[in-house]
Amino acid sequence: MKHRPGLTAALLSASVLAMATAAVAADSGSVLSDMSDPALLEKYRKEATERIKCKPIDDWDARMEAYRAAATSKWDRAGMGCAVEYGTQAAMELSVPSSAIWAFVTFRVDNIETNLEVLGANLEYFDVLAKSYSEHYQGIELSSELHVRWEQTRQRCDELLVRVEPLIPDVTEARILRAAYYLASTVKETPLDKQNEAVAKATAELEIAIKEKPDALNGLGQLLLGQVLFALPEFLGGDALRAIALLEEAHKLNPADMNAYRALAEAYLGERENDKAVALLKEALATDPAGVNPQDYVDAFKFLGGLGIRAGLPELAAQFADKREAMLKEKPDLLARKETAAFGHGGEDPLTGKDPSALK
């Protein structure tokens, strides 16, 4: 398989870290949703289900066109949500052979490719949703919408995985995407015990996949497993040194991947290998933005700039900030992801906690 979804591995890493520290709530995490009456919450979720419905598209070609047009629009939660829904509907109409050999015999390899591609896009959408959850307070309407979208994305992935599961023993790429699903789908809306189960299953799958086909999906298996092993403490199976080796391999296999830069630079700093981290940050700074999803680019440069501060190089962090601001100015639809504080804690406005000169 030649296709590699641009999975946001930072999301998967955050999932593992949350599980390891037992810091994730069982529901959406917003104050109001946790305190709401179940009947009232169910009412809002039903309303959200109706509100976010996508316009029906009956023609297969039109569905695929709509999918292609917005499947990578990570700055548009609603638009990308409909795109992955259309893509899933189109993929479900394709026949999928029961084995990789039969796929080649019947010339249906493209059908498998399409199913895996759409699965990867749905996994990307988990990241878009996860970044929409507030770290502090969020209203019941947004909380309800995100819950509905999360569950709908899980359902779409489940349907696609049922179709490709018979291929997993022969198609390493499908195995890696199933492992990615275990991690991505449990970042939110999942009890802690289920999150821990997901990490265990994903780790086992990734170990097999890397042995089967080390270069599958340009090193995505190494990237995910490296983040898992680095995030987990040793008593839960974590291994920082092996994690770094895996992340280095992932970076070598796909040197343009911003997620590999993020994960490897953070791992270097975590192990006090500052010289390696700084060299990698400077390499990332030279990345051609034309080859990166623009939302991923500005998100990564915000994170990498923070690592520059952590490495004691504010001038390097400023260069990341300058390039990030240039991209935001060029593409005003992108999400700036400026922080706000909850209930007046922090910021310049004593009521909102916002800095009116910096927030967008």
Side-chain angles (χ1 to χ4, degrees):
M1 298 295 159
K2 61 181 181 296
H3 176 73
R4 170 180 174 171
L7 296 174
T8 305
L11 162 70
L12 310 183
S13 177
S15 169
V16 176
L17 182 59
M19 298 172 205
T21 58
V24 177
D27 197 29
S28 68
S30 70
V31 175
L32 187 55
S33 66
D34 288 341
M35 297 176 62
S36 293
D37 176 83
L40 181 61
L41 188 57
E42 181 63 23
K43 171 181 176 291
Y44 274 94
R45 287 176 177 175
K46 286 182 178 179
E47 291 176 355
T49 301
E50 292 299 314
R51 187 171 64 251
I52 67 174
K53 279 186 175 179
C54 303
K55 180 180 178 180
I57 299 178
D58 296 327
D59 180 70
W60 190 91
D61 289 328
R63 283 179 179 170
M64 285 302 295
E65 183 179 354
Y67 161 72
R68 301 284 187 197
T72 60
S73 301
K74 297 183 177 183
W75 52 90
D76 181 358
R77 184 173 68 239
M80 186 176 177
C82 286
V84 294
E85 180 176 316
Y86 295 142
T88 303
Q89 291 170 351
M92 295 296 290
E93 293 182 21
L94 298 174
S95 59
V96 178
S98 59
S99 72
I101 294 176
W102 190 242
F104 284 99
V105 170
T106 57
F107 303 103
R108 293 175 183 169
V109 177
D110 286 347
N111 289 9
I112 297 175
E113 291 274 357
T114 299
N115 275 266
L116 294 181
E117 178 189 340
V118 173
L119 175 58
N122 275 280
L123 297 179
E124 290 274 19
Y125 193 55
F126 278 124
D127 176 53
V128 172
L129 295 177
K131 289 177 179 175
S132 299
Y133 283 78
S134 171
E135 294 180 0
H136 304 292
Y137 172 85
Q138 65 188 33
I140 192 170
E141 288 190 359
L142 176 58
S143 176
S144 299
E145 177 197 331
L146 293 175
H147 173 85
V148 171
R149 289 190 185 277
W150 196 273
E151 294 305 322
Q152 289 178 344
T153 308
R154 273 180 173 161
Q155 182 178 352
R156 289 193 298 266
C157 288
D158 286 339
E159 292 171 351
L160 291 166
L161 282 167
V162 167
R163 292 166 62 78
V164 302
E165 188 165 359
L167 303 169
I168 287 176
D170 300 311
V171 182
T172 303
E173 290 81 356
R175 186 185 298 279
I176 293 173
L177 292 184
R178 183 167 69 177
Y181 169 69
Y182 292 148
L183 295 173
S185 65
T186 54
V187 175
K188 300 289 184 181
E189 308 289 350
T190 307
L192 185 60
D193 60 334
K194 297 297 182 182
Q195 293 175 337
N196 290 330
E197 288 178 15
V199 170
K201 290 193 295 184
T203 300
E205 292 275 40
L206 292 170
E207 292 282 12
I208 295 171
I210 290 170
K211 291 178 181 178
E212 285 180 344
K213 190 176 179 181
D215 62 347
L217 296 179
N218 297 333
L220 180 60
Q222 289 91 328
L223 180 57
L224 298 181
L225 183 58
Q227 290 188 105
V228 169
L229 296 181
F230 190 78
L232 289 174
E234 288 187 15
F235 70 88
L236 289 178
D239 185 337
L241 295 182
R242 185 177 176 223
I244 287 177
L246 287 165
L247 294 172
E248 288 175 338
E249 186 177 352
H251 177 56
K252 183 178 180 180
L253 287 167
N254 192 4
D257 189 345
M258 299 307 300
N259 296 317
Y261 279 116
R262 292 177 57 160
L264 184 54
E266 185 175 27
Y268 279 149
L269 287 174
E271 290 300 296
R272 296 182 174 86
E273 296 191 48
N274 282 32
D275 290 344
K276 289 184 178 180
V278 171
L280 191 67
L281 289 173
K282 291 179 178 178
E283 183 183 328
L285 190 62
T287 301
D288 182 359
V292 183
N293 180 286
Q295 188 66 58
D296 287 343
Y297 182 88
V298 296
D299 289 349
F301 268 46
K302 180 177 182 180
F303 185 89
L304 293 169
L307 293 183
I309 294 290
R310 185 172 157 190
L313 295 174
E315 66 279 7
L316 184 61
Q319 292 180 63
F320 278 109
D322 288 344
K323 290 200 171 187
R324 182 173 182 273
E325 287 302 318
M327 176 66 82
L328 289 170
K329 184 176 181 179
E330 178 186 347
K331 299 181 181 296
D333 289 339
L334 296 180
L335 304 176
R337 305 201 196 280
K338 300 286 187 179
E339 283 99 357
T340 61
F343 302 114
H345 296 287
E348 295 185 4
D349 187 311
L351 290 178
T352 66
K354 298 180 179 181
D355 177 353
S357 67
L359 292 167
K360 296 181 179 181

